[in-house]
Amino acid sequence: MLIYLIGMPASGKSTFGKLVAQKLNYTFLDLDTLIEEDNNSTIPKIFDTKGEDFFRKLEQNALQFTFNLDKTIIATGGGTPCFFDNLDKMKENGIVCFIHIEIKTLVKRTFQAQQRKQNSRPLFKDSTSFEELYQLVSQKWTDRKEFYQKADFEIKNNDLNEFLEKLNAKQ
Ligand SMILES: Nc1ncnc2c1ncn2[C@@H]1O[C@H](COP(=O)(O)OP(=O)(O)OP(=O)(O)O)[C@@H](O)[C@H]1O
Ligand SMILES: O=C(O)C1=C[C@@H](O)[C@@H](O)[C@H](O)C1
Ligand SMILES: [Mg+2]
Protein backbone atom coordinates (compact mmCIF):
# COMPACT_ATOMS: atom_id res chain seq x y z
CA MET A 1 0.00 0.00 0.00
CA LEU A 2 1.03 3.60 -0.60
CA ILE A 3 0.19 6.48 1.73
CA TYR A 4 0.51 10.08 0.53
CA LEU A 5 0.75 13.03 2.92
CA ILE A 6 -0.38 16.35 1.47
CA GLY A 7 -0.58 19.81 3.03
CA MET A 8 0.75 23.32 3.14
CA PRO A 9 4.48 24.00 3.37
CA ALA A 10 5.68 23.52 6.97
CA SER A 11 2.62 21.48 7.97
CA GLY A 12 4.98 18.69 9.04
CA LYS A 13 4.61 16.21 6.15
CA SER A 14 8.28 15.22 6.23
CA THR A 15 8.54 15.08 10.03
CA PHE A 16 5.25 13.21 10.53
CA GLY A 17 5.90 10.90 7.56
CA LYS A 18 9.08 9.58 9.18
CA LEU A 19 7.22 8.92 12.44
CA VAL A 20 4.42 7.02 10.69
CA ALA A 21 6.90 4.99 8.63
CA GLN A 22 8.58 3.80 11.83
CA LYS A 23 5.26 2.90 13.42
CA LEU A 24 3.95 0.95 10.40
CA ASN A 25 7.31 -0.46 9.36
CA TYR A 26 6.98 1.30 6.02
CA THR A 27 9.65 2.96 3.91
CA PHE A 28 9.59 6.76 4.04
CA LEU A 29 10.07 8.78 0.86
CA ASP A 30 10.22 12.55 0.56
CA LEU A 31 9.22 13.69 -2.92
CA ASP A 32 11.19 16.96 -2.65
CA THR A 33 14.33 15.03 -1.67
CA LEU A 34 13.82 12.56 -4.52
CA ILE A 35 13.64 15.45 -7.01
CA GLU A 36 16.78 17.04 -5.56
CA GLU A 37 18.72 13.76 -5.70
CA ASP A 38 17.56 12.85 -9.22
CA ASN A 39 18.52 16.29 -10.53
CA ASN A 40 21.64 16.74 -8.46
CA SER A 41 20.38 20.18 -7.42
CA THR A 42 18.29 21.89 -4.76
CA ILE A 43 14.68 22.99 -5.14
CA PRO A 44 15.51 26.72 -4.71
CA LYS A 45 18.16 26.34 -7.47
CA ILE A 46 15.75 24.54 -9.80
CA PHE A 47 13.16 27.32 -9.26
CA ASP A 48 15.83 30.00 -9.85
CA THR A 49 17.42 28.54 -12.96
CA LYS A 50 14.58 26.65 -14.69
CA GLY A 51 11.43 28.21 -13.25
CA GLU A 52 8.34 26.83 -11.52
CA ASP A 53 6.73 25.23 -14.62
CA PHE A 54 9.83 23.10 -15.16
CA PHE A 55 9.83 22.13 -11.46
CA ARG A 56 6.17 21.06 -11.68
CA LYS A 57 7.00 18.63 -14.51
CA LEU A 58 9.87 17.15 -12.49
CA GLU A 59 7.47 16.82 -9.59
CA GLN A 60 4.87 15.06 -11.75
CA ASN A 61 7.54 12.61 -13.02
CA ALA A 62 8.79 11.93 -9.49
CA LEU A 63 5.21 11.24 -8.39
CA GLN A 64 4.74 8.83 -11.32
CA PHE A 65 7.80 6.91 -10.09
CA THR A 66 6.21 6.35 -6.66
CA PHE A 67 3.28 4.42 -8.18
CA ASN A 68 5.63 1.44 -8.69
CA LEU A 69 6.46 1.24 -4.98
CA ASP A 70 4.75 -0.59 -2.12
CA LYS A 71 4.61 -0.23 1.69
CA THR A 72 5.81 3.34 1.38
CA ILE A 73 4.67 6.59 2.94
CA ILE A 74 5.35 9.58 0.75
CA ALA A 75 5.66 13.18 1.95
CA THR A 76 4.69 15.22 -1.10
CA GLY A 77 5.68 18.81 -1.83
CA GLY A 78 3.27 21.52 -0.69
CA GLY A 79 2.05 22.09 -4.25
CA THR A 80 2.00 18.49 -5.52
CA PRO A 81 -1.78 17.88 -5.29
CA CYS A 82 -2.56 21.23 -6.92
CA PHE A 83 -1.06 20.57 -10.37
CA PHE A 84 -2.05 18.40 -13.33
CA ASP A 85 -4.03 15.31 -12.30
CA ASN A 86 -1.55 14.56 -9.49
CA LEU A 87 -4.22 14.35 -6.79
CA ASP A 88 -6.46 11.94 -8.73
CA LYS A 89 -3.44 9.76 -9.50
CA MET A 90 -2.41 9.66 -5.83
CA LYS A 91 -5.95 8.64 -4.87
CA GLU A 92 -6.01 5.93 -7.55
CA ASN A 93 -2.71 4.48 -6.39
CA GLY A 94 -2.89 4.96 -2.62
CA ILE A 95 -4.55 6.62 0.35
CA VAL A 96 -4.17 10.39 0.66
CA CYS A 97 -4.03 12.13 4.03
CA PHE A 98 -4.22 15.92 4.41
CA ILE A 99 -2.25 17.32 7.35
CA HIS A 100 -4.35 20.30 8.42
CA ILE A 101 -2.44 22.85 10.48
CA GLU A 102 -3.67 26.37 11.25
CA ILE A 103 -2.14 29.25 9.30
CA LYS A 104 -0.70 30.98 12.36
CA THR A 105 1.41 27.90 13.13
CA LEU A 106 2.55 27.51 9.51
CA VAL A 107 3.66 31.14 9.37
CA LYS A 108 5.52 30.88 12.69
CA ARG A 109 7.42 27.77 11.54
CA THR A 110 8.27 29.28 8.15
CA PHE A 111 9.34 32.60 9.69
CA GLN A 112 11.61 30.82 12.17
CA ALA A 113 13.22 28.78 9.35
CA GLN A 114 13.82 31.98 7.37
CA GLN A 115 15.44 33.63 10.37
CA ARG A 116 17.75 30.63 10.72
CA LYS A 117 18.58 31.23 7.02
CA GLN A 118 17.02 27.89 6.09
CA ASN A 119 15.40 29.42 3.03
CA SER A 120 14.27 26.21 1.45
CA ARG A 121 10.83 27.52 0.40
CA PRO A 122 11.19 29.50 -2.84
CA LEU A 123 7.50 30.46 -2.90
CA PHE A 124 7.91 32.57 0.23
CA LYS A 125 11.47 33.77 -0.24
CA ASP A 126 10.55 37.37 -1.12
CA SER A 127 8.65 38.13 2.07
CA THR A 128 10.53 40.64 4.20
CA SER A 129 8.37 40.69 7.33
CA PHE A 130 6.17 38.43 9.42
CA GLU A 131 3.08 40.31 8.19
CA GLU A 132 4.04 39.91 4.55
CA LEU A 133 4.70 36.21 5.05
CA TYR A 134 1.30 35.90 6.76
CA GLN A 135 -0.37 37.42 3.68
CA LEU A 136 1.49 35.11 1.28
CA VAL A 137 0.73 31.96 3.26
CA SER A 138 -2.94 32.97 3.64
CA GLN A 139 -3.23 33.53 -0.11
CA LYS A 140 -1.69 30.10 -0.83
CA TRP A 141 -4.14 28.51 1.59
CA THR A 142 -7.08 30.20 -0.16
CA ASP A 143 -5.83 28.97 -3.56
CA ARG A 144 -5.06 25.45 -2.43
CA LYS A 145 -7.56 24.38 0.20
CA GLU A 146 -10.01 22.97 -2.35
CA PHE A 147 -7.31 20.49 -3.44
CA TYR A 148 -6.16 19.54 0.05
CA GLN A 149 -9.75 19.01 1.17
CA LYS A 150 -10.24 16.32 -1.48
CA ALA A 151 -7.90 13.98 0.42
CA ASP A 152 -9.28 10.63 1.59
CA PHE A 153 -9.05 11.89 5.18
CA GLU A 154 -7.49 14.68 7.19
CA ILE A 155 -5.75 14.94 10.54
CA LYS A 156 -5.05 17.90 12.77
CA ASN A 157 -1.95 18.60 14.86
CA ASN A 158 0.12 15.66 13.57
CA ASP A 159 -1.69 13.28 15.91
CA LEU A 160 -0.44 9.72 15.33
CA ASN A 161 -3.41 7.98 16.97
CA GLU A 162 -5.90 10.03 14.98
CA PHE A 163 -3.94 9.16 11.83
CA LEU A 164 -3.91 5.40 12.54
CA GLU A 165 -7.63 5.28 13.37
CA LYS A 166 -8.62 7.16 10.21
CA LEU A 167 -6.24 5.12 8.06
CA ASN A 168 -7.75 1.86 9.36
CA ALA A 169 -11.24 3.14 8.59
CA LYS A 170 -10.23 3.70 4.96
CA GLN A 171 -8.60 0.29 4.39
N1 LIG B 1 4.37 18.38 15.32
C1 LIG B 1 5.22 19.40 15.23
N2 LIG B 1 5.32 20.28 16.23
C2 LIG B 1 6.15 21.33 16.16
N3 LIG B 1 6.97 21.60 15.11
C3 LIG B 1 6.91 20.76 14.09
C4 LIG B 1 6.03 19.62 14.07
N4 LIG B 1 6.18 18.96 12.88
C5 LIG B 1 7.09 19.67 12.19
N5 LIG B 1 7.54 20.73 12.91
C6 LIG B 1 8.53 21.72 12.47
O1 LIG B 1 7.93 22.45 11.42
C7 LIG B 1 8.85 22.68 10.38
C8 LIG B 1 8.29 22.11 9.10
O2 LIG B 1 8.21 20.69 9.20
P1 LIG B 1 8.39 19.77 7.92
O3 LIG B 1 9.65 20.12 7.20
O4 LIG B 1 8.21 18.37 8.39
O5 LIG B 1 7.14 20.25 7.05
P2 LIG B 1 6.79 19.92 5.54
O6 LIG B 1 5.32 19.88 5.50
O7 LIG B 1 7.54 18.71 5.10
O8 LIG B 1 7.31 21.22 4.81
P3 LIG B 1 7.65 21.40 3.23
O9 LIG B 1 6.35 21.48 2.50
O10 LIG B 1 8.39 22.71 3.20
O11 LIG B 1 8.48 20.23 2.80
C9 LIG B 1 10.17 22.06 10.83
O12 LIG B 1 10.96 23.07 11.38
C10 LIG B 1 9.77 21.06 11.88
O13 LIG B 1 10.78 20.87 12.84
O1 LIG C 1 4.23 24.64 -1.81
C1 LIG C 1 4.92 24.48 -2.83
O2 LIG C 1 4.50 24.76 -3.97
C2 LIG C 1 6.26 23.89 -2.69
C3 LIG C 1 6.58 23.25 -1.52
C4 LIG C 1 7.85 22.51 -1.34
O3 LIG C 1 7.57 21.29 -0.66
C5 LIG C 1 8.56 22.24 -2.65
O4 LIG C 1 7.95 21.20 -3.37
C6 LIG C 1 8.60 23.49 -3.49
O5 LIG C 1 9.32 24.46 -2.76
C7 LIG C 1 7.19 24.00 -3.83
MG1 LIG D 1 8.87 18.44 3.46
Side-chain angles (χ1 to χ4, degrees), residues 22-141:
Q22 264 183 354
K23 180 80 186 170
L24 296 180
N25 203 16
Y26 266 40
T27 303
F28 170 74
L29 180 74
D30 194 304
L31 207 64
D32 284 336
T33 309
L34 179 67
I35 296 168
E36 293 189 326
E37 286 173 357
D38 281 356
N39 293 278
N40 205 13
S41 188
T42 64
I43 288 180
K45 256 194 215 144
I46 298 171
F47 266 73
D48 268 358
T49 57
K50 307 268 178 77
E52 181 172 352
D53 289 354
F54 184 84
F55 171 77
R56 294 302 170 195
K57 296 207 176 89
L58 295 182
E59 182 176 54
Q60 186 186 31
N61 288 340
L63 186 66
Q64 188 77 36
F65 163 81
T66 67
F67 303 146
N68 304 313
L69 304 172
D70 192 20
K71 281 191 81 171
T72 303
I73 177 151
I74 298 126
T76 63
T80 312
C82 315
F83 290 85
F84 311 114
D85 59 352
N86 291 350
L87 180 58
D88 288 340
K89 285 273 158 59
M90 284 190 261
K91 289 176 75 166
E92 266 168 48
N93 286 277
I95 297 184
V96 180
C97 169
F98 166 38
I99 302 191
H100 194 166
I101 301 291
E102 62 171 0
I103 291 179
K104 212 168 48 185
T105 306
L106 298 173
V107 178
K108 267 193 217 147
R109 289 180 189 172
T110 308
F111 191 68
Q112 277 165 4
Q114 286 184 344
Q115 290 200 310
R116 290 194 301 263
K117 301 276 178 246
Q118 293 167 330
N119 294 325
S120 61
R121 299 191 176 96
L123 291 184
F124 302 139
K125 75 175 170 27
D126 294 332
S127 61
T128 53
S129 65
F130 187 87
E131 289 68 30
E132 207 179 330
L133 184 62
Y134 202 101
Q135 287 306 316
L136 281 174
V137 175
S138 303
Q139 186 57 53
K140 277 282 164 234
W141 167 247

